[in-house]
């Protein structure tokens, strides 16, 4: 098992690394050339600039039994298709049961934004409770993968 983090602006990278370290699970952080990441634990891969360069690289690397941390529903869907697990920075698990609905919601929100008639708010400011929720959910996912 390996953990891949879509690390461009990911607020839970350090939390995920800390938990992965407890289980001695290797972590790879993927980012584009506009971000500078360093880590004492993870392998950092800087991927060339491009709209989906990091997403494509992440999906090419992940395998069955890996865990992907991403807020991108498309990346999550592709990871699930490869037999990997996927988790959002909120702690929500992406599953075969919910991914189609999430992708449809994303499509409808994008359509509404394009129409210019709807203003979609950005996410609320991240809290300690959000971090705690992610940590608990992520650790449960690791334990489930290890027990499979």
């Amino acid at each position: 098992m390996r953990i891949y983090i879509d690390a461009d602006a990911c607020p839970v990278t350090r939390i995920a690394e800390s938990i992965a370290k407890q289980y001695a699970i290797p972590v790879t952080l993927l980012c584009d050339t506009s971000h500078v990441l360093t880590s004492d634990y993870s392998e950092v891969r800087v991927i060339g600039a491009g709209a989906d360069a990091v997403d494509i690289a992440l999906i090419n690397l992940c395998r069955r039994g890996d865990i992907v941390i991403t807020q991108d529903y498309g990346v999550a869907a592709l990871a699930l298709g490869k037999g990997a697990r996927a988790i959002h920075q909120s702690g929500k698990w992406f599953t075969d049961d919910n991914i189609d609905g999430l992708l449809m919601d994303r499509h409808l929100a994008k359509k509404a934004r394009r129409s210019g008639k709807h203003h979609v708010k950005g996410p609320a400011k991240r809290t300690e409770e959000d971090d705690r929720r992610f940590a608990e959910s992520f650790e449960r996912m690791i334990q489930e993968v290890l027990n499979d």
Side-chain angles (χ1 to χ4, degrees):
M1 174 194 336
R2 185 168 201 85
I3 296 166
Y4 293 97
I5 302 178
D6 184 355
D8 290 339
C10 180
V12 298
T13 299
R14 299 298 174 231
I15 297 167
E17 285 180 317
S18 175
I19 294 169
K21 191 174 186 179
Q22 292 173 25
Y23 289 89
I25 300 168
V27 175
T28 300
L29 307 177
L30 291 96
C31 64
D32 65 26
T33 55
S34 65
H35 293 84
V36 178
L37 296 178
T38 59
S39 175
D40 294 332
Y41 182 73
S42 300
E43 172 189 4
V44 177
R45 290 199 180 193
V46 179
I47 309 302
D52 296 318
V54 170
D55 300 344
I56 293 166
L58 189 154
I59 293 304
N60 284 333
L61 290 169
C62 81
R63 304 280 178 259
R64 176 174 296 285
D66 289 338
I67 296 175
V68 172
I69 299 173
T70 184
Q71 61 182 346
D72 185 311
Y73 296 171
V75 170
L78 293 168
L80 291 173
K82 291 188 80 172
R85 303 285 184 101
I87 185 170
H88 188 274
Q89 64 193 28
S90 68
K92 181 180 184 69
W93 291 18
F94 296 106
T95 67
D96 290 334
D97 293 333
N98 70 11
I99 196 65
D100 288 339
L102 293 169
L103 288 167
M104 180 56 77
D105 290 346
R106 179 181 76 167
H107 169 73
L108 294 173
K110 187 175 185 178
K111 195 172 173 179
R113 284 191 306 275
R114 283 185 178 164
S115 75
K117 296 177 184 174
H118 297 84
H119 175 70
V120 181
K121 285 185 176 180
K125 185 174 181 194
R126 191 159 186 90
T127 65
E128 286 183 23
E129 175 65 19
D130 294 328
D131 290 345
R132 186 193 59 73
R133 191 177 312 110
F134 170 80
E136 289 175 359
S137 183
F138 181 57
E139 190 160 7
R140 266 195 330 273
M141 181 176 276
I142 288 172
Q143 291 170 351
E144 190 172 293
V145 171
L146 291 173
N147 290 327
D148 277 352

